[in-house]
């Protein structure tokens, strides 16, 4: 009944490699950086320790209550359940909203496969909720340049994967009149302000600083050292002059917490360049099927439920690979119950089963031994199959014409006036005038 870590998982822990690719010692504690996520515990990452280590703040009940009040609607269950668990300056951003100011959203995806998996959906689902709750524009970055530098991929392969991943993102249901998606390798040649802001950021960060933040070594290619500025630049609104003009606007970045190092660097640079520090909300990791010691990986087909998987493939993967919190024998399970903290099928339900009462019923029944591991897996299968099928049906409607609309630099359909400390009167008046004139534009 219980799934012990399999041979591949043990090998992963024994042969853990750093960002530079050099062999490291066996995992003794949690490792979280933009390229590697591993835990020493079957329960996964210790997020309380990670918050202290990164210096961010808990999203507590009081902040959730305030977020609901300002948004005027209940928060998404991914926030309510603590899956989005920490933040930077969310209170500051809400203060600005309450003062009548607007902001924009920025999130992204590093395309490393032709299809995204369920874990990749999590930041985008909450981003969509935020966009609709606050009625704000959104920019989505596809870091195909990063994947070319870090993985054995050509520029052409990464750009193709970026377009395929963009279709998955669009299928989530974003509003094309308020959403701009771009790939770095393509957008760099379309918008000079993007590269100009990258250079401004690179002038503010020394090699020693970037080594300290990201762990780069002497054997890393030079492209890796410069890349963090490319991920930082979309946090500056002037990177998108066709949307924001020259206004320096606040931004909120929903992302998995392994991306936080990029934005710690960005927050250090922002005031020096006259921009507000970006606010962030961080999600926890979607566990690999083999257990929460690692996250789902696009490079391991058996670790993840992909958005291209058939209903049969989903059933097979969960039944065969999903780590169980059940006991060794039926008798022990009936007597002592299962452990939902390490049971991957239950963790999948925490992310995707929206009914709180049903989720709690399942948790209690499993803990009492009334629900068996096979039954838990069946509930997870029955929950995920229609979600993936619905996504596939929506993706069929994402034609190349629809994709190109999202990828075309253009004005977005929104109006707002923002006056930040230090803005000139002329700047404020210009913002007002632009806000009145802005309408949705069709791509050329």
């Amino acid at each position: 009944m219980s799934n012990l870590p399999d041979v591949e998982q043990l090998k992963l822990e024994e042969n853990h490699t750093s960002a530079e690719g050099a062999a490291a010692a066996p995992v003794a504690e949690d490792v979280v950086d933009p390229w590697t996520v591993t835990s020493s515990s079957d329960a996964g990452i210790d997020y309380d320790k990670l918050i202290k280590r990164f210096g961010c703040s808990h999203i507590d009940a009081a902040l959730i209550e305030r977020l609901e009040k300002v948004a005027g609607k209940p928060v998404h269950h991914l926030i309510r359940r603590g899956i989005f668990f920490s933040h930077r300056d969310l209170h500051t951003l809400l203060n600005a909203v309450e003062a009548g100011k607007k902001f924009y959203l920025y999130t992204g995806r590093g395309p490393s496969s032709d299809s995204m998996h369920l874990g990749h959906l999590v930041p985008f689902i909450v981003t969509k909720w935020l966009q609709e709750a606050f009625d704000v524009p959104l920019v989505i970055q596809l870091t195909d340049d990063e994947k070319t530098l870090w993985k054995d991929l050509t520029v052409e392969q990464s750009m193709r994967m970026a377009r395929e991943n963009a279709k998955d993102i669009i299928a989530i249901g974003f509003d094309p009149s308020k959403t701009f998606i771009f790939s770095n390798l393509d957008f760099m040649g379309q918008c000079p302000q993007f590269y100009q802001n990258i250079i401004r950021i690179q002038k503010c960060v020394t090699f020693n600083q970037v080594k300290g933040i990201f762990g780069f070594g002497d054997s890393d290619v030079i492209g890796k050292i410069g890349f963090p500025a490319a991920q930082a630049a979309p946090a500056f609104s002037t990177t998108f002059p066709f949307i924001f003009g020259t206004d320096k606007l606040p931004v909120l970045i929903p992302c998995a917490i392994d991306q936080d190092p990029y934005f710690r660097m960005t927050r250090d640079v922002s005031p020096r360049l006259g921009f507000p520090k970006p606010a962030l909300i961080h999600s926890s990791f979607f566990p690999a099927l083999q257990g929460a010691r690692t996250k789902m990986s696009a490079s391991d087909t058996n670790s993840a439920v992909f958005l291209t998987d058939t209903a049969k493939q989903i059933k097979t993967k969960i039944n065969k690979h999903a780590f169980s919190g059940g006991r060794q024998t039926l008798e022990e399970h009936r007597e002592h119950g299962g452990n939902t903290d390490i049971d991957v099928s239950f963790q999948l339900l925490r992310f995707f089963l929206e009914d709180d009462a049903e989720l709690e019923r399942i948790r209690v029944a499993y803990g009492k031994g009334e629900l068996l591991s096979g039954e838990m897996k069946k509930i997870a299968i029955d929950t995920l199959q229609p979600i993936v099928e619905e996504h596939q049906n929506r993706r069929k409607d994402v034609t190349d014409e629809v994709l190109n609309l999202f990828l075309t630099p253009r004005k977005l359909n929104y109006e707002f006036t923002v006056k930040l400390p230090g803005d000139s009167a002329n700047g404020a008046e210009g913002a007002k005038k632009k806000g009145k004139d802005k309408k949705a534009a069709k791509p050329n």
Side-chain angles (χ1 to χ4, degrees):
M1 182 178 297
S2 176
N3 289 350
L4 298 177
D6 61 18
V7 174
E8 290 183 0
Q9 180 71 6
L10 292 173
K11 285 182 178 178
L12 173 63
E13 294 165 14
E14 293 169 358
N15 299 322
H16 169 64
T17 57
S18 65
E20 292 81 9
V27 177
E29 59 182 21
D30 295 346
V31 175
V32 176
D33 63 37
W35 309 280
T36 307
V37 176
T38 58
S39 173
S40 58
S41 168
D42 287 339
I45 301 297
D46 186 328
Y47 291 105
D48 289 336
K49 287 184 179 179
L50 197 60
I51 283 176
K52 291 180 181 178
R53 176 179 146 201
F54 280 8
C56 41
S57 302
H58 279 283
I59 297 178
D60 56 20
L63 181 53
I64 289 176
E65 182 179 354
R66 187 178 182 210
L67 182 58
E68 290 183 333
K69 179 181 177 182
V70 177
K73 61 191 298 186
V75 295
H76 196 277
H77 73 266
L78 290 171
I79 300 174
R80 186 175 64 249
R81 292 178 185 167
I83 291 168
F84 272 81
F85 68 98
S86 73
H87 74 98
R88 294 186 185 276
D89 282 351
L90 185 54
H91 278 297
T92 301
L93 187 83
L94 294 177
N95 288 341
V97 173
E98 288 180 324
K101 297 177 181 178
K102 288 280 189 176
F103 64 94
Y104 72 101
L105 289 162
Y106 158 41
T107 193
R109 159 80 183 126
S112 57
S113 61
D114 286 329
S115 171
M116 289 165 51
H117 60 60
L118 283 174
H120 295 142
L121 290 181
V122 173
F124 291 108
I125 290 171
V126 168
T127 298
K128 182 173 181 288
W129 180 87
L130 288 164
Q131 183 182 39
E132 293 172 350
F134 291 96
D135 190 24
V136 291
L138 163 66
V139 296
I140 298 174
Q141 180 185 50
L142 301 170
T143 55
D144 43 6
D145 50 347
E146 176 195 23
K147 295 307 176 183
T148 300
L149 291 167
W150 263 268
K151 293 184 176 292
D152 186 21
L153 295 171
T154 65
V155 166
E156 292 75 17
Q157 288 172 326
S158 294
M159 293 184 73
R160 176 180 57 77
M161 290 177 180
R163 287 183 65 87
E164 292 302 312
N165 283 197
K167 291 180 179 180
D168 276 329
I169 294 168
I170 292 167
I172 296 169
F174 289 104
D175 183 348
S177 72
K178 297 182 180 179
T179 305
F180 172 56
I181 303 175
F182 65 100
S183 81
N184 285 354
L185 289 172
D186 186 49
F187 187 52
M188 188 76 75
Q190 296 179 316
C191 182
Q193 289 84 354
F194 182 28
Y195 187 59
Q196 290 163 16
N197 276 343
I198 288 173
I199 293 298
R200 292 184 179 103
I201 295 164
Q202 289 176 339
K203 283 190 68 175
C204 292
V205 183
T206 68
F207 180 48
N208 280 338
Q209 287 174 321
V210 84
K211 282 198 300 182
I213 296 170
F214 300 101
F216 296 141
D218 292 340
S219 62
D220 278 307
V221 298
I222 59 174
K224 290 184 179 182
I225 298 161
F227 169 76
Q231 186 153 325
F236 298 162
S237 54
T238 56
T239 297
F240 311 99
F242 48 90
I243 303 175
F244 305 113
T246 59
D247 294 334
K248 295 183 175 182
L249 306 180
V251 63
L252 174 61
I253 305 172
C255 62
I257 196 165
D258 59 341
Q259 299 302 299
D260 186 72
Y262 287 113
F263 301 114
R264 293 203 299 273
M265 183 197 77
T266 309
R267 285 167 56 82
D268 180 64
V269 170
S270 297
R272 297 159 64 185
L273 296 178
F275 288 88
K277 288 185 176 182
L280 290 95
I281 56 172
H282 304 118
S283 70
S284 56
F285 301 114
F286 203 71
L289 292 177
Q290 288 81 2
R293 287 175 179 260
T294 60
K295 63 177 182 177
M296 279 193 176
S297 171
S299 59
D300 183 354
T301 57
N302 289 325
S303 77
V305 174
F306 285 84
L307 298 176
T308 51
D309 283 346
T310 65
K312 182 178 180 180
Q313 286 173 320
I314 294 170
K315 180 179 180 180
T316 300
K317 283 184 176 183
I318 292 177
N319 279 331
K320 184 177 181 179
H321 298 291
F323 190 91
S324 171
R327 302 288 176 170
Q328 292 286 352
T329 67
L330 176 62
E331 291 74 17
E332 288 179 10
H333 187 85
R334 290 295 193 195
E335 181 179 357
H336 301 291
N339 184 352
T340 54
D341 290 339
I342 66 173
D343 190 279
V344 168
S345 294
F346 182 79
Q347 296 307 314
L348 296 177
L349 295 175
R350 282 188 65 237
F351 280 81
F352 285 104
L353 180 62
E354 296 185 15
D355 188 328
D356 287 341
E358 177 64 6
L359 184 68
E360 178 63 9
R361 184 196 70 78
I362 293 168
R363 186 191 69 81
V364 171
Y366 197 65
K368 290 181 177 180
E370 297 169 355
L371 189 70
L372 302 180
S373 291
E375 294 169 330
M376 178 73 84
K377 289 185 176 185
K378 185 178 187 306
I379 295 171
I381 292 166
D382 292 343
T383 300
L384 296 181
Q385 283 175 334
I387 291 173
V388 174
E389 182 182 8
E390 182 181 351
H391 182 90
Q392 291 170 354
N393 290 334
R394 290 196 302 264
R395 195 184 190 281
K396 292 176 183 177
D397 295 330
V398 183
T399 62
D400 284 340
E401 182 180 4
V402 171
L403 174 62
N404 290 335
L405 169 62
F406 277 90
L407 294 174
T408 299
R410 65 202 187 283
K411 292 181 180 180
L412 298 180
N413 184 22
Y414 73 98
E415 294 183 8
F416 63 79
T417 300
V418 175
K419 184 177 181 182
L420 299 170
D423 283 350
S424 66
N426 289 339
E429 287 299 316
K432 289 179 182 178
K433 184 177 185 301
K434 283 182 283 187
K436 291 178 181 179
D437 293 341
K438 284 180 179 177
K439 295 182 179 179
K442 296 181 179 179
N444 295 330

